[in-house]
Amino acid sequence: LFAARALPVCGEHMDRARCDGILAFFTLPAAGMALRLSRRSGCPFIVSLRGSDVPGFRYSRWAPPYLLARPLIRRIWREASAVVAHSTALRNLTGLTWRGPIETIPNGVDCRRFAPPPDGRRGRDALQLLTVGQLIHRKNPLRLIAAFAELNRRVATPVRLRLVGRGPLESNLRAQARALGVEGLVEFAGFVPPERMPAEYAAADAFVLLSSREGMSNALLEAMASGLPCVVARAGDSEKLIASPGEGLVLDETESPVEPLAALMDDPDRRLALGAAA
């Protein structure tokens, strides 16, 4: 439906602007539209892969949606002037579906917008743990809230958890927080406009990302640029961004985040050191 409505609008813009090229983010629907526009106008197009548009990222490569879309996906990639992945992990996953050339251009972060707060992060009555992302199973927010409830039983300083993002698991997460007795300590921020995101990172004391699958997380890049100590699951290129234990904490798939987070929350000097290294 989006493609059907957007194609005529894009075609009109291209006619007026006399475009020289098309950059499509996500294979479907955007690059499918770019293929149609390219055939009509003769403009070359580039596909920027983002994750869920690659078979095997969100679901199994053999899941029915991917099986049905695979011939179209391959045709789009074959006819593109370039196919670009934002991480090594995503490029390798794409290679299981298509054997053509795939460039890697990492995600970037604007360090003028995302920077450590000038007044530092000392002297707060309660610490704030921040996570940013969709409230979906792949991001493991249920695991995070369970760990957070245990964390507050172990640390000396009270900790609050702020979740930025929306998704179908929100009602489940609110119920879980009530059941675990941490409802008053968990904040659901919902959607936050991009211009307000620097303030979200500046107000936090640590960042956590427990995704089971991840490419190159923009949220992690922004948190690191903002001087936050980061605790992440070993997924995608997260461990390449956090290149050494002195730049953040990378958890194995089965490792509980409770102990590392508790040690981090009780050690302000370590939080500052990890944030500065990040």
Side-chain angles (χ1 to χ4, degrees), residues 132-152:
V132 178
Q134 297 178 69
L135 304 181
I136 56 177
H137 285 291
R138 178 171 60 83
K139 300 286 185 177
N140 282 324
L142 293 164
R143 180 187 175 202
L144 174 58
I145 288 187
F148 173 74
E150 179 64 24
L151 171 68
N152 264 290

Side-chain angles (χ1 to χ4, degrees), residues 164-213:
V164 172
R166 296 182 298 201
L169 290 181
E170 182 170 340
S171 59
N172 302 63
L173 294 167
R174 289 182 182 274
Q176 183 190 27
R178 283 194 299 272
L180 294 174
V182 292
E183 182 180 15
L185 298 173
V186 179
E187 303 174 52
F188 291 88
F191 170 75
V192 173
E195 62 271 15
R196 283 174 40 203
M197 283 308 301
E200 291 286 343
Y201 295 109
D205 296 280
F207 177 83
V208 61
L209 182 71
L210 300 182
S211 299
S212 57
R213 292 186 302 283

Side-chain angles (χ1 to χ4, degrees), residues 96-126:
L96 298 178
T97 297
W98 188 60
R99 297 187 180 276
I102 306 163
E103 303 291 339
T104 303
I105 301 177
N107 285 340
V109 61
D110 185 347
C111 293
R112 296 166 299 180
R113 291 186 61 227
F114 297 95
D119 57 349
R121 292 187 165 93
R122 288 188 182 273
R124 299 179 180 177
D125 294 332

